[in-house]
Amino acid sequence: MHYSYTRDAHGVLHERFGLPFEAIVPGQTFLHRPGITFTQQDNVTEALSTLNSAQVHYDESYAARTSWRRPLVVSTLTLQRLIGMTWKTFGLARRRIESMHDVRMTRPVFAGDTLVASTEVVEVACAGEARLRLRTAARNQHGEEVARADYTCLAWRSEEWPAALAPIGDPASESRFASHLETSGGWLENFGLAFEDLRDGETFEHALHRCVEPHEIASLARDALDWAARPPDQGAVPQSWLVGLATALTTLTLGRVSANLGWTDVRFFRDARAGDSLRARSTIESTRESRSRPDEGIVQVHTALLDAHGERVLDFRRTL
């Protein structure tokens, strides 16, 4: 069994997703979660941003006269999502995709379809550079296969990991932290901790970092109707968006939330600016059973947003 967290000498839990190369063997099947639902806006954005002139993707009048009778999701977007959904199993070992041997779109995909992916490990090559041959398929909400890809990845052996991939501390070898659950269909990715798996006082260093790009700042302010001159003109990220970013960066651990109830004690220590690489740290302050919802619990979390130097940008308490 492998685990999605390590624990350092201070007891802090560090998120760590993906299996090491040495744990991947031919014949394994992995069921990736969560899935993702396509929207027509996703479809239009992908088509227009790549200069795709095939109007079946975004011209509903034209699409209505095709055999599909409605816009067809761009196949390259399906391929991106197909590969992207595998990261929680293969993201640690995969250096890069070396070749795609065969990619098939087996059924049409439309806005509103929800796809989930599964991967079969076809071959593991250890001689010379390490390689994985994988076969990933996507199925829609009806269980129908819509796409599959057969491809080979160059892989990191554990002794070759760059510093950024090296584990901090030792595996947190508790069943609540298992990276996968064994099922009759294969190894199901375990995504997010349930209420009963959270412990008062535990601190989590969240894995994902987010670098703010210069072009994003004006767009974020504009889309939020925050048209004051200061955010875009001086390069400061809108502060309300930073609250959302800090919250979002916690969801690899707190991804089973059913509702966010609000924030208190939100404090901003400095502006975040273009080029800042931001990460989050959370401490579980309290947990209790919900009085009105018998299948849910209430959690209070303290989260800090930090820059690349570990300096605090903001912090807050959140109830979920």
Side-chain angles (χ1 to χ4, degrees), residues 130-150:
R131 287 178 170 82
L132 298 170
R133 183 157 183 174
L134 306 173
R135 185 173 295 129
T136 299
R139 296 183 180 276
N140 63 19
Q141 65 273 27
H142 307 297
E144 302 163 331
E145 183 187 279
V146 300
R148 63 177 182 268
D150 184 335

Side-chain angles (χ1 to χ4, degrees), residues 106-174:
T106 52
R107 291 185 71 88
V109 178
F110 303 105
D113 282 350
T114 299
L115 303 190
V116 294
S118 61
T119 300
E120 176 192 356
V121 180
V122 178
E123 184 179 355
V124 176
C126 301
E129 290 187 290
R131 287 178 170 82
L132 298 170
R133 183 157 183 174
L134 306 173
R135 185 173 295 129
T136 299
R139 296 183 180 276
N140 63 19
Q141 65 273 27
H142 307 297
E144 302 163 331
E145 183 187 279
V146 300
R148 63 177 182 268
D150 184 335
Y151 55 105
T152 294
C153 303
L154 289 175
W156 297 106
R157 295 182 176 89
S158 295
E159 67 268 18
E160 299 171 333
W161 280 334
L165 295 181
I168 299 173
D170 299 317
S173 51
E174 301 170 41

